[in-house]
Amino acid sequence: MTTRRRMPKRTWLTDSPVAAVVLPIIGLAAAIGLWWGATVAFSIQPYLLPSPWDVVVKFFEQPGYLLQETGTSLLETIEGFLLAIVIGVPIALVIVRSVILERLAYPLLLMVNSIPKVAIAPLLVIWMGFGQWPKVVMVLLMCFFPIVISTAQGMKSTPTELVELMRSLNASRAQEFFKLRLRYAMPQIFTGFKVAISLAVIGSVISEFVGATKGLGYVIQQSGASADTTLAFAAITLLSVMSIVLFYALVLLEHWLLPWAQEKR
Amino acid sequence: MIRLDGVGQVFDGREGQVTALEKIDLHVRGGEFVTLIGRSGCGKSTLLRLIAGLLPPTSGAVQVAGQPVTGPRRDVSFMFQRPALLPWRSVLSNVMLPVEIDKGQGDRGKAAYRDRARQLLELVGLQGFERRLPHELSGGMQQRVSLCRSLIRDPQVMLMDEPFSALDALTRTELSEELQRIKMELSTTIVFVTHSIEEAVLLADRVVVLTPRPGRMREVVDIDIPRPRSLGQNAHLTEVAAISGRLHALLAEKESGEPGVPGEVRPVDEVRP
Ligand SMILES: Nc1ncnc2c1ncn2[C@@H]1O[C@H](COP(=O)(O)OP(=O)(O)O)[C@@H](O)[C@H]1O
Ligand SMILES: [Mg+2]
């Protein structure tokens, strides 16, 4: 309260739930409009930059095929993401319990994270074959780090006064963990999930560039080979849509599970 | 009810040892309301945490209800300066937290406790707010919830660490009056930390004045003004003024450069570089 901070003005545009939906759509529409305008104004060749309309037309030439490939990528993304949660969250919970473990594990995590994922995509194929496993593992590798870091961070953010409260009530360690620390960490864990889900989509595409016969990444690679820029754009658009839908699904889930966290901004 | 014999607390700070408390001898009778008053840093919170069993004393002995304190007791409740509510729990569920944590040991059923929680919330004027989340309440309302939580298990002893100091003056007065009412109704033993002379005089049967570095008991002042007491219109204004003046003098003594009490020479080992 001692520092003077200018409060952002609160209006209908910042507070109404309708605006929360309408504003992102306006932003997106404006970007697409600009893209369209550019292709028309500079009469750019479709094989360099197709117009949004070309992309839509392309999609409707073979909607079944493209949707099926989207489904493949979506499944890999979700599987890898869930696997990253199942493995990453418990690891983070164990790590924060001991300073020694944390010091041991962090450089390792950083190292794994700093490896360019494209570089190990071929290796994953060698190790796991052409099936969906190398893809799922790639997604897992992409998601793992932000999930571990944010979970660990969240688990360390419990206010001391609340810890002291639990102690004064003679809470067991398990009660302190489940009734306080884990619950308090949830908003930060969700922040990690939201970062991870976008990376998950990227991971699935990278893995489909190598040793794949399915998925949007494969479509993009093939369209590159045949200079079908419009098809590549259609696939990229589907990827973006997938990314956005997954992200907002998490946002909705967070609103529903953690209604108390929204006011803490 | 509470007995401290020769209690001392030394912390290992970053720059050597800090003597937070020294030679504290205090006996709080059952049903008594004692306030601890002193400048910040004189060890008031530390003293409360010792009684609560959150911290073992480095010397001396602490007893509650005739038993040595070895850890937090279920018949002792602690109320903090800040509300310390769990943000995801509704008001009612926050009040019920101690019961939930203590499950199996409760002497009444959960439903009975829930009724009690509603009753307490009504007592502090929060009926109708049971299902709200903490962030929907004002600071004063949150602290009332915290008060209800510390009362839910009918504690024999309530330890309160500057519980009203973060509130505005009006809310503070209201809550002080409510606390007196609760105290008279339940005959709970209360140790209440404050740095407000006004609050100490309004609430206490006895005021313990602590001096800083190291925290020692300067003096114990009895307050014989009949209850219920209130600020403002008060039939005992002269007594209140006299006691307030005395407390003020006691607290200010060190600063005004008055000579210390004879024999209060500080030992060499306490002089920090
Ligand atoms: N856990 C701790 N470690 C080290 N020093 C502490 C600790 N707790 C309190 N102290 C020190 O003990 C002294 C008394 O603190 P405290 O009891 O919080 O005072 P008060 O509540 O009267 O303001 C202070 O000098 C403080 O720095
Ligand atoms: Mg204090």
Side-chain angles (χ1 to χ4, degrees):
Chain A
M1 297 295 140
T2 45
T3 51
R4 269 165 154 244
R5 216 186 314 160
R6 194 181 293 175
M7 290 291 287
K9 223 182 210 166
R10 307 201 70 129
T11 61
W12 178 84
L13 284 174
T14 61
D15 289 2
S16 131
V18 178
V21 175
V22 169
L23 283 178
I25 291 175
I26 291 177
L28 210 62
I32 292 172
L34 258 163
W35 168 17
W36 206 329
T39 54
V40 172
F42 305 110
S43 48
I44 300 171
Q45 291 302 308
Y47 75 90
L48 289 175
L49 180 65
S51 77
W53 180 248
D54 296 335
V55 175
V56 171
V57 168
K58 192 71 174 181
F59 172 76
F60 282 107
E61 277 171 19
Q62 38 187 346
Y65 168 69
L66 282 173
L67 282 180
Q68 189 187 323
E69 301 312 297
T70 308
T72 305
S73 298
L74 180 65
L75 194 66
E76 290 160 8
T77 304
I78 290 176
E79 283 173 351
F81 176 71
L82 291 179
L83 203 60
I85 293 176
V86 169
I87 297 173
V89 170
I91 284 181
L93 297 183
V94 171
I95 283 177
V96 291
R97 291 193 67 115
S98 118
V99 183
I100 301 168
L101 260 178
E102 195 175 337
R103 288 194 184 141
L104 278 173
Y106 260 62
L108 224 99
L109 286 172
L110 277 167
M111 203 186 75
V112 171
N113 189 52
S114 66
I115 298 171
K117 301 300 178 300
V118 196
I120 51 171
L123 295 179
L124 290 177
V125 173
I126 295 172
W127 294 330
M128 295 171 211
F130 295 97
Q132 66 163 359
W133 273 107
K135 284 91 181 174
V136 172
V137 170
M138 175 63 80
V139 173
L140 163 70
L141 287 174
M142 292 290 282
C143 296
F144 190 67
F145 197 68
I147 290 178
V148 171
I149 294 296
S150 63
T151 305
Q153 232 22 66
M155 291 305 288
K156 287 195 287 191
S157 69
T158 326
T160 45
E161 56 189 5
L162 294 184
V163 174
E164 190 128 87
L165 166 75
M166 294 305 263
R167 297 258 155 91
S168 80
L169 295 174
N170 228 345
S172 67
R173 294 201 69 143
Q175 284 173 324
E176 189 182 309
F177 182 85
F178 287 110
K179 286 189 193 291
L180 175 60
R181 290 183 188 272
L182 191 58
R183 291 299 296 271
Y184 203 89
M186 283 316 285
Q188 261 160 294
I189 294 178
F190 255 91
T191 303
F193 289 175
K194 286 187 280 189
V195 174
I197 198 72
S198 308
L199 293 173
V201 174
I202 295 172
S204 76
V205 176
I206 291 174
S207 67
E208 285 162 359
F209 280 174
V210 184
T213 52
K214 288 189 296 189
L216 288 174
Y218 173 72
V219 173
I220 292 169
Q221 215 222 5
Q222 290 300 300
S223 59
S226 57
D228 191 348
T229 315
T230 313
L231 180 61
F233 264 82
I236 290 169
T237 306
L238 284 167
L239 277 172
S240 313
V241 171
M242 188 166 109
S243 231
I244 292 169
V245 168
L246 286 172
F247 183 85
Y248 280 105
L250 279 177
V251 171
L252 281 180
L253 189 67
E254 188 185 11
H255 263 264
W256 179 60
L257 288 177
L258 314 172
W260 56 274
Q262 264 80 58
E263 295 301 312
K264 276 205 337 181
R265 279 183 282 182
Chain B
M1 182 55 84
I2 302 170
R3 190 163 203 120
L4 298 138
D5 291 302
V7 167
Q9 183 69 43
V10 180
F11 287 112
D12 290 320
R14 214 167 275 174
E15 299 146 37
Q17 296 192 322
V18 181
T19 309
L21 289 171
E22 198 173 68
K23 292 185 209 135
I24 304 289
D25 294 299
L26 179 65
H27 182 203
V28 182
R29 292 180 289 272
E32 195 179 15
F33 199 131
V34 169
T35 57
L36 300 176
I37 193 166
R39 291 165 178 280
S40 82
C42 72
K44 305 181 298 291
S45 298
T46 305
L47 190 56
L48 273 200
R49 295 175 65 219
L50 289 172
I51 302 171
L54 289 168
L55 187 73
T58 40
S59 61
V62 183
Q63 288 191 344
V64 170
Q67 294 160 331
V69 171
T70 52
R73 297 166 55 106
R74 65 180 306 272
D75 55 356
V76 175
S77 75
F78 204 110
M79 189 170 163
F80 302 88
Q81 183 170 4
R82 293 208 271 163
L85 302 176
L86 303 188
W88 51 87
R89 281 177 173 252
S90 68
V91 164
L92 185 66
S93 154
N94 261 296
V95 175
M96 289 291 285
L97 181 71
V99 177
E100 210 180 294
I101 283 182
D102 197 36
K103 64 169 171 274
Q105 293 166 52
D107 28 20
R108 352 173 184 174
K110 199 162 177 179
Y113 272 113
R114 189 162 291 134
D115 289 342
R116 176 70 180 141
R118 290 221 169 79
Q119 207 181 328
L120 286 169
L121 286 168
E122 200 177 317
L123 188 70
V124 299
L126 282 177
Q127 63 270 44
F129 287 88
E130 288 87 351
R131 308 193 59 160
R132 298 288 189 91
L133 287 172
H135 74 250
E136 299 173 295
L137 309 183
S138 70
M141 290 158 99
Q142 290 185 14
Q143 199 58 306
R144 282 166 214 249
V145 176
S146 175
L147 179 61
C148 293
R149 180 179 61 197
S150 64
L151 285 167
I152 186 74
R153 283 192 299 186
D154 291 328
Q156 291 202 57
V157 175
M158 279 176 81
L159 306 171
M160 311 178 84
D161 193 354
E162 307 193 27
F164 306 148
S165 64
L167 306 177
D168 63 274
L170 208 63
T171 314
R172 193 187 320 165
T173 315
E174 266 172 38
L175 277 178
S176 303
E177 283 166 9
E178 254 156 42
L179 183 61
Q180 278 190 87
R181 227 174 45 226
I182 289 165
K183 192 249 158 180
M184 285 162 72
E185 201 174 297
L186 304 174
S187 69
T188 316
T189 310
I190 298 175
V191 181
F192 186 104
V193 167
T194 179
H195 53 237
S196 148
I197 292 174
E198 207 179 34
E199 204 167 62
V201 176
L202 176 68
L203 293 171
D205 299 318
R206 279 196 295 161
V207 180
V208 176
V209 182
L210 292 175
T211 55
R213 285 173 216 292
R216 283 195 194 155
M217 283 167 62
R218 179 74 186 81
E219 193 150 330
V220 180
V221 178
D222 286 296
I223 300 183
D224 290 324
I225 304 168
R227 292 180 192 276
R229 304 171 191 158
S230 63
L231 293 164
Q233 80 272 41
N234 193 315
H236 305 271
L237 274 177
T238 42
E239 281 126 301
V240 170
I243 294 169
S244 300
R246 175 127 177 265
L247 289 174
H248 204 276
L250 284 167
L251 284 167
E253 213 155 61
K254 276 269 152 70
E255 251 57 29
S256 59
E258 276 193 30
V261 182
E264 214 198 40
V265 184
R266 305 181 92 201
V268 181
D269 63 341
E270 280 176 23
V271 181
R272 294 204 283 130

